[in-house]
Amino acid sequence: MTVSQQVSVLERLQTDGVLAAACPTRTVLDHVTSKWGVLLLVALSESSRRWGELRRDVEGISEKMLAQTLRTLEGDGLVHREVTATVPPRVDYSLTPLGTDLVSRLLPLMEWILENADDILAP
Amino acid sequence: MTVSQQVSVLERLQTDGVLAAACPTRTVLDHVTSKWGVLLLVALSESSRRWGELRRDVEGISEKMLAQTLRTLEGDGLVHREVTATVPPRVDYSLTPLGTDLVSRLLPLMEWILENADDILAP
DNA sequence: CGGGATCCATACTGATACTG
DNA sequence: CAGTATCAGTATGGATCCCG
């Protein structure tokens, strides 16, 4: 990414929002960067997952926050919820096209964190 | 990004951490995606800024969270703090090379949010 | 100007119990 | 299996006042 591109993004962030309070993009940013939102989106990046799988994939998440975060992401149109009316019931979660697009921007960031976590926490 | 790349990133996230609890990368992720951390990093993306400038740039941030978040980011080696001992005192904040590198991964995400916020919140 | 200290409200977490 | 409901404890954020 060139410097001129960086500047233009920053300028648009200032005028259109994000850095401005009360801007709708703040809400989206909060959802996307929420503690569990990122991890769930990443966990869904490869394939659709069932409730119990997500609960195991994302270690440490409580059932309450799992349900709450999934509902938020579903409401944002990032995650698709599909119920199969069987006994026992089966519910699959998957990324929507919008969610897939978002995750493609998210994974480079996660990869960076993975590679640099040691540098950050070591000193 | 290809599918094979996505899979490899996810697999490394599962084995090396992030999705695993008690992993150091979780801490880094929390700092980077903290409510104000993202906005401050972006605000610093173009040039170094003074305390008062950041306070105005990032609308809605309280002085407490500004100080707290800046100290965290400084401790993570992402932000550099430079004090000029004058009267009145002057303190400048800027991105470290590590911080600059991180922001280059962060801006595409912010740009995506900017472009898709309407689609997410409208329905 | 650039913070630190304090108090309060909210959000999150954890444990448990219950349901279709 | 996939949740919902509730309560209690904790962590986090915000508002305010104060200081060198």
Side-chain angles (χ1 to χ4, degrees):
Chain A
M1 171 164 305
T2 69
V3 172
S4 65
Q5 280 177 316
Q6 284 188 18
V7 172
S8 73
V9 173
L10 176 61
E11 284 174 353
R12 288 170 50 212
L13 291 173
Q14 288 170 331
T15 54
D16 294 1
V18 183
L19 290 182
C23 172
T25 55
R26 278 280 183 93
T27 308
V28 177
L29 183 65
D30 285 350
H31 292 183
V32 169
T33 65
S34 72
K35 174 169 186 178
W36 300 112
V38 194
L39 298 177
L40 283 174
L41 287 171
V42 168
L44 288 168
S45 65
E46 188 183 334
S47 63
S48 72
R49 307 291 283 165
R50 299 183 58 179
W51 163 279
E53 291 175 324
L54 288 174
R55 183 150 177 40
R56 282 187 297 274
D57 288 345
V58 182
E59 284 183 29
I61 193 171
S62 65
E63 296 192 344
K64 182 180 175 179
M65 290 315 296
L66 178 57
Q68 197 176 111
T69 308
L70 281 174
R71 258 182 277 120
T72 301
L73 295 176
E74 190 193 358
D76 288 343
L78 299 169
V79 164
H80 176 66
R81 181 173 185 271
E82 190 165 4
V83 182
T84 310
T86 55
V87 179
R90 173 194 180 96
V91 183
D92 288 274
Y93 294 90
S94 57
L95 293 179
T96 63
L98 197 65
T100 305
D101 197 30
L102 170 60
V103 167
S104 71
R105 316 289 175 110
L106 220 44
L107 285 178
L109 180 62
M110 303 299 287
E111 196 169 14
W112 185 92
I113 291 176
L114 204 57
E115 286 165 4
N116 293 278
D118 293 339
D119 295 338
I120 291 178
L121 292 178
Chain B
M1 171 165 302
T2 68
V3 172
S4 65
Q5 280 177 316
Q6 285 188 18
V7 172
S8 72
V9 172
L10 176 61
E11 284 174 354
R12 286 169 52 211
L13 291 174
Q14 288 170 332
T15 54
D16 295 1
V18 182
L19 290 182
C23 170
T25 55
R26 278 279 183 96
T27 309
V28 178
L29 182 65
D30 285 350
H31 292 181
V32 170
T33 65
S34 71
K35 174 169 185 178
W36 300 112
V38 194
L39 299 176
L40 282 174
L41 288 170
V42 168
L44 288 167
S45 65
E46 189 182 334
S47 63
S48 73
R49 307 292 284 164
R50 299 184 57 180
W51 164 280
E53 291 176 324
L54 288 174
R55 183 152 177 39
R56 281 187 298 275
D57 287 346
V58 182
E59 285 183 29
I61 193 173
S62 67
E63 296 190 343
K64 177 185 174 178
M65 291 315 297
L66 178 57
Q68 198 176 107
T69 309
L70 282 173
R71 256 183 280 121
T72 302
L73 294 176
E74 188 193 359
D76 288 343
L78 299 169
V79 164
H80 175 66
R81 181 174 185 268
E82 190 166 5
V83 182
T84 311
T86 55
V87 179
R90 174 193 179 97
V91 183
D92 287 272
Y93 295 90
S94 57
L95 292 179
T96 63
L98 197 65
T100 305
D101 197 29
L102 170 60
V103 167
S104 71
R105 315 290 176 111
L106 220 43
L107 285 179
L109 181 62
M110 302 300 287
E111 196 169 14
W112 184 92
I113 291 177
L114 204 56
E115 286 165 4
N116 294 277
D118 294 339
D119 295 337
I120 290 178
L121 293 178

